[in-house]
């Protein structure tokens, strides 16, 4: 039996390796030709020290100079000593380039295009060698826009265990991917993907979670929820979706479905447009209640445009709430006006 170990690098690249229960993560990385930082390989120097964000393991033998009890308690481990007892997610303290690796590339075919509204399109793809594309719920890939050398970043909108992968795209007039999807895309088109990328992914649930999505920032949250249907969070999870206009309201049926199937999951939404027909008009901060933030013992996951991220940070500060964890993925407009798609960047 082998476990899957996700090595998450500082530049956002994630590589997945297989590691046996009696094999150290360092040995498994070496076999996969990934040079994670190592020096003594003996639990003495601390060079390989990495934060384990998810999973259980045997930490092995090491001295206090390499890893203190406080560090071990905080989740740090030594890959040269640690052996997995489950799948793991490790933050590797270097870039993928330094580790002589990089994001992997994949090809896939469009199987469905969903034109939800004038502002939002979704599409699904069948990936060649699907087993080779592992990702964590919440992560994104770079997709090359067919017929151009332009790449855009999109979060997976479904969990990593499904056969076909899906995405949500906010339509930006004149944007490269927006123009392609609106005017030229068809079922059967082939697209090239690079990834997975990003540090915005679902961690092991240890406390209640508050998921906040702005517009198509809902996509990575949907991927997290899909994962929660098979690995019950065991903790309350509340999601608030905020959009600009009623046209931006998509995938609400999925949220209703998850509310029925995930124990402890609740959700709400609001629309900023004062002309909206939604019951709640305004911004997500108006819908955050004390129970959702649990006196700060909460993991906040937020994917949306920079003003939304700042507004939520400001709101929590003004309420005197410091969340146990605040994970965010900001969306920023691409610099060139002709390529104004939304691109994701981890924050
Ligand atoms: Fe020295 Fe791991 S390489 S402690």
């Amino acid at each position: 039996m082998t476990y899957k170990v996700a090595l998450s690098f500082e530049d956002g690249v994630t590589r997945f390796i297989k590691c046996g229960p009696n094999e150290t993560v360092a040995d498994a990385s070496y076999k996969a030709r990934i040079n994670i930082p190592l020096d003594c390989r003996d639990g003495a120097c601390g060079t390989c020290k990495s934060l384990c964000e998810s999973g259980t393991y045997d930490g092995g033998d090491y001295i206090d100079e390499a890893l203190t009890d406080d560090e071990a308690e905080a989740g740090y481990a030594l890959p040269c000593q640690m052996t997995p007892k489950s799948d793991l997610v490790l933050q590797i303290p270097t870039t993928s380039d330094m580790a002589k690796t990089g994001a992997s590339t994949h090809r896939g075919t469009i199987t469905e295009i969903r034109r939800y509204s004038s502002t939002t399109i979704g599409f699904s793809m069948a990936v060649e060698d699907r087993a080779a594309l592992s990702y964590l719920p919440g992560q994104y890939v770079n997709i090359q826009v067919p017929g151009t050398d332009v790449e855009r970043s999109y979060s997976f909108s479904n969990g990593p265990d499904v056969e076909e992968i899906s995405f949500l795209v906010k339509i930006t007039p004149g944007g490269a991917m927006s123009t392609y999807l609106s005017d030229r895309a068809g079922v059967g088109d082939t697209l090239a993907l690079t990834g997975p990328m990003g540090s915005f992914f679902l961690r092991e649930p240890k406390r209640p979670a508050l998921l906040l999505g702005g517009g198509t920032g809902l996509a990575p949250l949907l991927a997290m929820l899909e994962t929660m249907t098979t690995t019950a969070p065991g903790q309350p999870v509340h999601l608030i979706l905020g959009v600009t206009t009623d046209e931006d309201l998509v995938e609400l049926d999925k949220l209703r479905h998850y509310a029925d199937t995930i124990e402890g999951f609740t959700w709400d939404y609001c629309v900023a447009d004062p002309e909206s027909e939604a019951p709640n008009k305004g911004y997500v901060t108006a819908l955050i209640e004390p129970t959702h933030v649990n006196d700060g013992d909460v993991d906040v996951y937020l994917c949306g445009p920079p003003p939304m991220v700042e507004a939520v940070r400001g709101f929590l500060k003004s309420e005197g709430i410091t969340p146990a964890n605040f994970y965010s993925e900001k969306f920023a407009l691409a610099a060139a006006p002709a390529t104004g798609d939304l691109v994701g960047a981890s924050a």
Side-chain angles (χ1 to χ4, degrees):
M1 132 175 244
T2 58
Y3 295 111
K4 198 153 71 171
V5 178
L7 305 173
S8 170
F9 292 95
E10 285 175 347
D11 53 349
V13 170
T14 303
R15 292 299 310 267
F16 289 78
I17 58 170
K18 287 181 183 151
C19 186
N22 298 314
E23 186 177 28
T24 67
V25 170
D27 285 346
S29 303
Y30 181 75
K31 265 200 230 161
R33 298 173 189 270
I34 298 173
N35 295 355
I36 62 173
L38 292 172
D39 190 356
C40 71
R41 286 179 158 265
D42 202 24
C45 70
T47 301
C48 63
K49 186 161 42 196
S50 303
L51 180 64
C52 183
E53 300 224 56
S54 177
T56 54
Y57 53 89
D58 181 333
D61 296 325
Y62 51 84
I63 60 173
D64 202 51
E65 280 73 17
L67 186 73
T68 66
D69 288 346
D70 285 350
E71 288 171 327
E73 179 70 19
Y76 285 88
L78 300 174
C80 73
Q81 297 300 300
M82 72 191 298
T83 50
K85 289 181 171 177
S86 73
D87 290 348
L88 301 176
V89 178
L90 279 178
Q91 267 188 20
I92 304 300
T94 190
T95 61
S96 62
D97 202 36
M98 292 297 287
K100 302 224 171 357
T101 185
S104 51
T105 55
H106 308 267
R107 282 162 61 87
T109 307
I110 294 180
T111 54
E112 188 186 356
I113 299 172
R114 297 175 292 279
R115 294 190 165 83
Y116 293 108
S117 69
S118 62
T119 66
T120 313
I121 291 181
F123 66 97
S124 299
M125 292 175 64
V127 180
E128 293 170 11
D129 194 5
R130 175 67 182 83
L133 174 60
S134 295
Y135 62 92
L136 300 168
Q139 289 194 303
Y140 67 90
V141 281
N142 295 327
I143 303 180
Q144 188 170 2
V145 182
T148 76
D149 55 4
V150 171
E151 278 193 335
R152 289 288 174 263
S153 306
Y154 295 102
S155 303
F156 297 94
S157 64
N158 52 6
D161 296 329
V162 295
E163 191 52 38
E164 292 193 353
I165 55 174
S166 297
F167 303 94
L168 283 181
V169 179
K170 165 83 174 172
I171 296 303
T172 309
M177 185 62 92
S178 297
T179 304
Y180 163 70
L181 285 173
S182 302
D183 301 349
R184 314 195 302 277
V187 168
D189 286 7
T190 301
L191 270 59
L193 324 169
T194 309
M197 318 277 280
S199 55
F200 185 73
F201 52 80
L202 183 66
R203 269 65 174 187
E204 217 168 302
K206 293 182 179 160
R207 54 184 66 80
L210 175 61
L211 315 183
L212 301 168
T216 52
L218 176 64
L221 308 182
L222 290 174
M224 293 179 185
L225 289 172
E226 188 166 306
T227 298
M228 289 179 196
T229 60
T230 51
T231 51
Q235 301 276 357
V237 177
H238 187 70
L239 180 147
I240 305 173
L241 170 66
V243 300
T244 307
T245 70
D246 288 350
E247 293 268 285
D248 304 328
L249 283 172
V250 302
E251 300 283 34
L252 299 192
D253 282 349
K254 268 199 183 137
L255 293 175
R256 289 184 192 107
H257 167 71
Y258 290 136
D260 288 341
T261 51
I262 302 172
E263 197 180 336
F265 173 61
T266 52
W267 66 285
D268 207 345
Y269 70 98
C270 57
V271 180
D273 181 1
E275 305 293 311
S276 166
E277 291 174 9
N280 298 309
K281 287 174 260 304
Y283 299 98
V284 294
T285 46
L287 296 181
I288 300 175
E289 293 174 8
T291 50
H292 303 148
V293 290
N294 196 32
D295 286 332
D297 189 25
V298 63
D299 289 337
V300 176
Y301 292 88
L302 194 173
C303 185
M308 178 182 174
V309 177
E310 294 319 311
V312 171
R313 279 190 195 281
F315 171 80
L316 294 175
K317 198 171 170 195
S318 70
E319 295 290 304
I321 300 288
T322 306
N325 291 293
F326 188 100
Y327 305 108
S328 65
E329 181 100 286
K330 280 182 188 171
F331 283 80
L333 280 170
T339 56
D341 292 313
L342 294 174
V343 294
S346 294

